[in-house]
Amino acid sequence: ALVVDVATLDANIDTMAAERPGDRLRAHVKAFKSTALARRVAELGGHRSFCCATLREMEGMADAGLGDDLLLANETLDHDRLRALTGRGDCRVTVAVDSPETVEAARGTGVEVLVDVDVGLPRCGIPPEDAGRIADLARAAGLEVRGVMGYEGHVVGNPERNQRKAAVEESMALLYAAREDVGGGITSAGATGTFDMHGRTDEVQAGSYLLMDTHYDRLGLPFGIALELEVTVLSVSPRGWMVLDCGLKSLGMDHGEPTVEGHQVFFCSDEHTTVLPGDQPLPPVGTRLKVKPAHVDPTVAYHDRLYLADGDEVTDVLEVDLRGW
């Protein structure tokens, strides 16, 4: 079971709201995939603009009445689904474009666009010098160009803060120049790892701050780990290890192994995690333990629900209703 500590969750919301109030944060729902948590961010943090990674997330947010200002921070070629999205309630929809094909997919759908700019991460985005050309194509297609976006994902996990900050400044210099070529508008960038390094950036796309994970926790950010996976000891070997009932199908592993306090993770398989003793002896079969995931986004996506807890008392159960495609 994924268990969320309510006090830590709300403290994280408050901390982010103090640094990036209102529309200076575009909370990224890909990190938690729950409209109930998104509503909590809106109500407690005062953030009404959100970004999503998939059309499924966009549709769910619109249906939940959280469509004041939705950004699909990703390219799509699904013209019909985009057009249907703009008709889902009273919502404002913006989509990233970085090619003539993605511009054409957005034509006539009622969406606005941000030109996606490559600022160093080898993923989506047009080279900065071509941003003006894509903006011109979009306007010629009858689309409103709101500005530019760029993701410095290649630097957000650097544990050296000074290096991380310098690299962000280099990436943002490319984005700001591209904005001038596009004809102005907003700049949208960033992530939890760089949330406080964007003084000139209009909005930061951060989502992991809400629940956090061990990968981001090593950066010394002012957010606590609110999410843990509660598991059970299935087996204890007389040879000196124990096995937990969690594994690759319940934990995001691309940022490293999970953490089990007092013990050493040996390896993970589909449904099991084998653990060696650390500074604590191995507990008996049937013991409940808490595991901290290394990457919150895929971890949440593996599960159907989140249990909000105040200490040992479950206060609410939230559906992870934005899963799937």
Side-chain angles (χ1 to χ4, degrees):
L2 283 182
V3 179
V4 179
D5 180 75
V6 173
T8 305
L9 168 69
D10 290 348
N12 290 345
I13 293 174
D14 290 344
T15 298
M16 181 61 84
E19 177 71 25
R20 308 283 312 181
D23 61 7
R24 298 208 51 184
L25 174 75
R26 186 178 284 278
H28 211 321
V29 302
K30 75 181 179 74
F32 49 89
K33 286 188 173 287
S34 164
T35 57
L37 277 187
R39 185 169 287 107
R40 196 179 190 98
V41 168
E43 293 174 352
L44 299 184
H47 308 293
R48 296 293 306 182
S49 56
F50 292 91
C51 58
C52 302
T54 68
L55 283 165
R56 169 74 186 91
E57 293 170 4
M58 296 281 282
E59 292 159 354
M61 291 289 286
D63 289 346
L66 293 165
D68 291 18
D69 189 353
L70 294 176
L71 166 64
L72 179 61
N74 199 358
E75 282 65 25
T76 181
L77 297 172
D78 198 331
H79 171 89
D80 293 342
R81 205 165 170 189
L82 268 186
R83 185 172 57 186
L85 177 61
T86 59
R88 271 176 124 99
D90 184 18
C91 61
R92 182 183 189 183
V93 176
T94 305
V95 62
V97 294
D98 70 352
S99 67
E101 291 83 1
T102 49
V103 167
E104 188 60 29
R107 181 197 292 269
T109 61
V111 305
E112 300 169 83
V113 300
L114 286 180
V115 177
D116 192 0
V117 180
D118 173 10
V119 295
L121 175 69
R123 205 164 67 180
C124 298
I126 195 77
E129 60 271 19
D130 289 337
R133 176 176 63 86
I134 294 299
D136 290 342
L137 286 175
R139 293 190 181 101
L143 298 166
E144 179 71 24
V145 178
R146 295 186 65 183
V148 295
M149 62 164 275
Y151 177 44
E152 71 282 15
H154 56 299
V155 304
V156 298
N158 189 327
E160 296 296 329
R161 179 175 174 83
N162 290 337
Q163 294 177 12
R164 194 161 75 249
K165 186 174 182 179
V168 169
E169 291 172 354
E170 291 178 7
S171 291
M172 290 306 99
L174 297 174
L175 190 62
Y176 302 147
R179 178 180 59 180
E180 297 307 309
D181 291 343
V182 161
I186 64 172
T187 50
S188 184
T192 293
T194 59
F195 82 104
D196 58 349
M197 299 176 178
H198 282 274
R200 291 176 55 200
T201 304
D202 296 294
E203 57 183 40
V204 164
Q205 301 177 10
S208 297
Y209 79 94
L210 199 64
L211 301 176
M212 284 289 285
D213 53 35
T214 60
H215 180 74
Y216 265 141
D217 191 53
R218 68 194 180 109
L219 301 186
L221 302 172
F223 308 111
I225 294 180
L227 178 78
E228 293 180 310
L229 184 65
E230 186 160 326
V231 303
T232 304
V233 178
L234 284 183
S235 175
V236 178
S237 171
R239 297 183 178 182
W241 64 80
M242 66 177 173
V243 180
L244 310 178
D245 64 342
C246 63
L248 299 175
K249 293 181 180 179
S250 56
L251 290 162
M253 296 285 291
D254 57 309
H255 285 176
E257 294 176 336
T259 298
V260 184
E261 295 293 343
H263 304 287
Q264 178 186 348
V265 173
F266 185 18
F267 69 94
C268 294
S269 49
D270 282 2
E271 303 292 354
H272 304 96
T273 295
T274 300
V275 179
L276 304 175
D279 56 12
Q280 297 179 16
L282 297 178
V285 171
T287 302
R288 291 282 188 90
L289 296 175
K290 294 187 183 298
V291 175
K292 296 178 180 178
H295 193 181
V296 61
D297 307 30
T299 296
V300 171
Y302 285 135
H303 296 264
D304 294 320
R305 59 192 62 87
L306 299 161
Y307 294 87
L308 268 58
D310 180 4
D312 289 332
E313 180 183 355
V314 174
T315 61
D316 205 353
V317 181
L318 308 182
E319 296 300 313
V320 183
D321 55 344
L322 301 178
R323 296 178 65 207
W325 300 99

